[in-house]
Amino acid sequence: MRGIKRIAGAAVVVGVLAAAGCGGGDKPIGGAASSSNPSSSTSSSGGAAGQYKKGGTVTIANVGGQTWPCQFNPFNPSVYQESLGFVYEPLVFVNVLKSGANTPMLASDFTWSPKKDSIVFTIRDGVKWSDGQPFTADDVVYTFNLMKQQPATDLYALWTGAGLTSVTAAGNKVTLKFKAAAEPYFFNFANQVGIVPKHIWSTGEAASKPATFADPKPVGTGPFTVESCTSNNISYAANPAYWQPGKPYVAKVQYPAYLDNNPANLDLASGKAQWGGQYIPNIDNFYKKKSPENNYWFPPTANVALVPNNDPSRPATSKLAVRQALAYALDREQISKIGESGYQPAANQTGVVSPTFDKYFDKDALTAAGYDKPNLDKAKQLLQSAGYTDSNPLKLNVITVTGYTDWDASLAVIKQQLAKVGVQLTIQDLQQQSYNQKLFGGDYDLAYSSLSGGPSPYYELRQLLYSKNTAPIGKQASSNYSRYSKPEVDKLFDEYAAADPDTQVKLIKQISGYMIKDVPLIPTTESVDWYQYNTKDIDGWPTQENPYAQPAPYNIPDVGQVLTNLYSKSAQK
C-alpha cells in the first residue's frame, strides 16, 4: 500500500496514507497542473461501457508488509487502500496524470458558485448499494457530516482547515458551502472521500466508532464486493448491480498478502500475478526479459522522506540543528542510485518534485541554503552545537516497513552516510500495522515514509505541514506525522485557495522556503508509481500513451478506474 495516504508503505495516495516504500509504492504525478476545478466534467476512462464480455481474474502483487487484517474502513488510512476504488467510490474522479481532468462518478455533474465558495453536485440516478438499497443524496450528506461530528474521520481537514461550513441536500442536489474560495480542495472532497451508506453507518459500531470500525463486510457502490478475506488473501467479486453498464469486465480480483518484495517480484516475473506495485531491482533482466507480455512504467509524483519527530517530547529530533545536520549529511544521488537503482530520482529539500513541478521549484533558495549537495563539515558543526560529540554521539532509531527491500537498501545507505558525521542510526523493520501505529501516534525518532501527492505540490505539502492534519503525541494524526506546526505556514496554505495561479506559485515557493528553513522533514528520493503489468490475458491497462489513471494498484481511488477498464482476452473468444 505504498502510499498511505498512504503514507505507509506499500501503498500513498493518497493518497493517501500509507507510507510508501518498496512494498506498495509511492505516489506519482504526471504533470504540473492547476487545481482540479473544471466547470464541466471530462471522461478520462480507458474503454466504453459494455464493450467487452465478462470473465477472467486479475491477481495483484503489491507488498503490504503485513498479512491482511480484513478491515475495509474508508476512513482508516491503515486499511482504506483495500476498499476505496474497489468498494467505495468518490463523487468525481480527478486524474492527476492528466492535469486534473475529471470523470463523473457518484455525482453526474457539479457547478461552482461565481466566488467558488460553494459547489452543487447533482447526484447520479439509478445507483444502488451492493446490498440492493438505493444510493441517494442523503448518503452523501451523511458521509460529509460524519466527518464533522467525528473529526478523526476528516482525513483532509475539510471542516477544520478547508473552511467547509455545511453540507445539505435538496432532491438530488447536494450543496457544500465554504467560508471562502475552496477550489483547490476539490481534489480532496470530490475525489478522495469515499461515500458510505447511511443505512449502514448510522447504526451500531459504525456510528459510535467510525474511525476505528473494522467494516469487515463493506457495502459500497463500487465495481467489486469483498467475496472473502483471510489473512493471506482478499478475493473480490464483480458487483453484479454496478451502475456502469457492462462493467466491470473482469470477474474476480485476487489480492494476496506479501510480506516481502521478493516473492511478489517472482510472481510478477512468472506471470502468476498480472498487476504489480513495487520495486524490482534490475527490472529489465529480472522481469521484462522473462516475457514479451511483461511491461512497466514509473510515472513520477511525490517524495520519499526521512521524517523527524518535531514534537518537543523528542529532545534530539525536535532540535533544528539536528534536523539540519541530518539534511546536510545526506547524499541523495547515492541514495537514489544504490537504494532505488536510479528508478526514483534524488529529491531535494524544498519538497517540490522536479521536473514535474518545476515552475514551483525555487532552485536558487535551495542552493543559497547549501542543500544542493552534501556538506559533512556543516553537519558535524551543527551536531556539535546541539551538544553531540564523539564521546556523546547522537543515537536515533528509524522505523520502516518490513519487506520493502528498496527502503531497506536506501536506509542502509543513509545509515552509512550519517555515521560519517557521528550519528548512530538503528533501523527498525516493522510489520505494516505496527509501523502505522507508531507513525500515526508519533512514537518514533525518525520514520521513513511517503505520502501521495496531487495536481500541484500544494497537495503533498499541505498533508505534510498543515498543523490541522497533525495531533498530539499518542493521538492519531491524519497525515502530518512529523507534528510540525507553524502559524505562518498554515496562513500560506489558507491563502492558496483564493489566490490566482501566479500567486499560488509564489505561495508554494514560500512554503518550500520553510522546508529549507525549518527542515520539518528530509526528502530523500522522488517517489514514483511502481507499476508492472502483464498483457498475456488481461488488457485495458493505463499506459504512458493513455494515462487514464495513476497506474499503481495502491493508488486510490484510481484503482477503481483501472479495474473497470481491464478485460480478459480469453473471455472474448
Side-chain angles (χ1 to χ4, degrees):
M1 92 178 192
R2 237 176 192 159
I4 323 186
K5 192 86 247 30
R6 184 197 120 22
I7 201 172
V12 299
V13 269
V14 203
V16 27
L17 214 140
C22 45
D26 319 283
K27 271 203 162 178
I29 299 174
S34 59
S35 58
S36 313
N37 56 4
S39 56
S40 60
S41 302
T42 310
S43 175
S44 60
S45 61
Q51 184 176 350
Y52 301 105
K53 296 178 183 177
K54 292 180 180 289
T57 298
V58 172
T59 299
I60 300 173
N62 172 43
V63 178
Q66 66 174 17
T67 55
W68 297 126
C70 294
Q71 299 182 21
F72 301 92
N73 186 335
F75 300 113
N76 183 347
S78 295
V79 300
Y80 70 5
Q81 283 178 308
E82 290 78 63
S83 66
L84 286 173
F86 291 94
V87 176
Y88 296 107
E89 294 183 302
L91 295 171
V92 177
F93 169 64
V94 178
N95 188 350
V96 168
L97 296 182
K98 294 184 77 173
S99 299
N102 62 84
T103 300
M105 295 297 290
L106 295 181
S108 58
D109 198 5
F110 61 87
T111 304
W112 281 102
S113 66
K115 292 183 179 180
K116 304 295 175 69
D117 58 357
S118 69
I119 187 169
V120 178
F121 288 99
T122 302
I123 302 307
R124 187 177 295 278
D125 293 329
V127 178
K128 290 187 176 182
W129 296 102
S130 54
D131 63 359
Q133 294 292 315
F135 162 75
T136 70
D138 285 343
D139 296 306
V140 178
V141 172
Y142 180 82
T143 299
F144 281 97
N145 283 329
L146 177 64
M147 292 188 286
K148 179 182 181 181
Q149 296 156 10
Q150 301 280 345
T153 65
D154 187 7
L155 302 181
Y156 307 102
L158 298 175
W159 290 95
T160 59
L164 184 60
T165 59
S166 68
V167 181
T168 57
N172 68 341
K173 307 287 187 182
V174 171
T175 300
L176 277 66
K177 292 184 178 180
F178 297 83
K179 292 178 182 177
E183 210 170 41
Y185 307 122
F186 183 89
F187 178 76
N188 299 122
F189 66 73
N191 172 75
Q192 294 190 300
V193 173
I195 306 302
V196 299
K198 179 180 179 180
H199 67 279
I200 300 290
W201 285 76
S202 60
T203 62
E205 188 180 355
S208 61
K209 299 178 180 179
T212 58
F213 172 52
D215 197 18
K217 297 180 180 179
V219 173
T221 60
F224 289 88
T225 60
V226 176
E227 183 178 53
S228 63
C229 181
T230 67
S231 60
N232 294 320
N233 187 67
I234 304 171
S235 181
Y236 299 90
N239 179 357
Y242 187 50
W243 58 269
Q244 292 197 51
K247 292 187 175 186
Y249 309 125
V250 171
K252 300 276 187 182
V253 177
Q254 301 298 334
Y255 207 157
Y258 293 93
L259 301 181
D260 186 85
N261 280 14
N262 294 326
N265 292 346
L266 288 169
D267 284 353
L268 286 167
S270 68
K272 182 178 179 180
Q274 296 79 44
W275 191 5
Q278 64 272 332
Y279 166 77
I280 299 178
N282 195 14
I283 193 169
D284 286 320
N285 287 327
F286 183 89
Y287 174 73
K288 180 65 178 166
K289 287 186 178 179
K290 295 287 172 56
S291 168
E293 287 94 10
N294 285 348
N295 304 276
Y296 67 89
W297 172 40
F298 300 151
T301 58
N303 288 285
V304 183
L306 196 62
V307 181
N309 193 329
N310 286 238
D311 191 83
S313 64
R314 297 285 165 160
T317 53
S318 62
K319 291 181 181 177
L320 175 60
V322 168
R323 300 195 302 272
Q324 290 174 324
L326 299 178
Y328 279 119
L330 297 186
D331 185 337
R332 294 166 172 84
E333 294 290 346
Q334 285 297 106
I335 298 170
S336 165
K337 180 179 179 181
I338 299 172
E340 302 290 349
S341 301
Y343 301 148
Q344 293 199 50
N348 68 80
Q349 189 55 42
T350 71
V352 173
V353 174
S354 176
T356 304
F357 299 129
D358 264 355
K359 71 178 181 180
Y360 302 90
F361 177 39
D362 194 340
K363 185 177 181 180
D364 291 341
L366 182 75
T367 303
Y371 286 121
D372 55 326
K373 56 185 179 296
N375 189 333
L376 302 188
D377 290 338
K378 181 74 170 176
K380 291 176 183 177
Q381 292 169 9
L382 286 161
L383 288 172
Q384 189 172 13
S385 74
Y388 299 100
T389 62
D390 290 342
S391 59
N392 179 38
L394 174 58
K395 299 178 181 180
L396 295 172
N397 293 330
V398 59
I399 60 171
T400 185
V401 180
T402 186
Y404 287 8
T405 54
D406 57 330
W407 281 16
D408 288 338
S410 295
L411 284 169
V413 176
I414 290 170
K415 181 174 181 175
Q416 292 174 349
Q417 292 177 352
L418 293 182
K420 293 178 181 178
V421 298
V423 177
Q424 299 177 13
L425 185 67
T426 299
I427 300 168
Q428 294 181 303
D429 275 288
L430 303 174
Q431 293 282 327
Q432 183 80 62
Q433 285 176 296
S434 298
Y435 171 90
N436 288 347
Q437 186 176 10
K438 286 182 175 292
L439 181 71
F440 298 170
D443 182 18
Y444 67 91
D445 293 330
L446 298 167
Y448 209 57
S449 69
S450 176
L451 279 174
S452 58
S456 82
Y458 162 83
Y459 296 93
E460 182 187 12
L461 291 172
R462 185 177 184 270
Q463 290 181 78
L464 294 168
L465 305 179
Y466 195 51
S467 69
K468 291 176 182 177
N469 289 331
T470 194
I473 295 293
K475 300 292 185 180
Q476 181 167 303
S478 64
S479 58
N480 179 350
Y481 305 116
S482 71
R483 270 62 189 178
Y484 178 72
S485 178
K486 195 144 199 176
E488 301 96 301
V489 176
D490 286 350
K491 184 174 183 291
L492 294 171
F493 283 119
D494 291 339
E495 290 174 0
Y496 186 91
D500 62 76
D502 289 341
T503 303
Q504 288 180 340
V505 172
K506 293 177 182 177
L507 288 169
I508 293 299
K509 288 185 176 181
Q510 289 179 264
I511 291 166
S512 67
Y514 282 95
M515 283 283 292
I516 293 172
K517 179 182 176 182
D518 293 344
V519 195
L521 66 155
I522 304 165
T524 56
T525 61
E526 293 181 354
S527 67
V528 298
D529 254 13
W530 297 118
Y531 169 49
Q532 301 87 19
Y533 61 104
N534 180 284
T535 56
K536 182 177 181 180
D537 182 55
I538 304 298
D539 214 338
W541 300 101
T543 62
Q544 191 166 4
E545 294 71 34
N546 182 22
Y548 65 82
Q550 283 189 256
Y554 49 77
N555 283 317
I556 55 173
D558 303 59
V559 60
Q561 298 294 311
V562 177
L563 287 173
T564 53
N565 285 291
L566 297 182
Y567 64 93
S568 165
K569 296 177 184 178
S570 58
Q572 311 311 306
K573 297 175 181 179

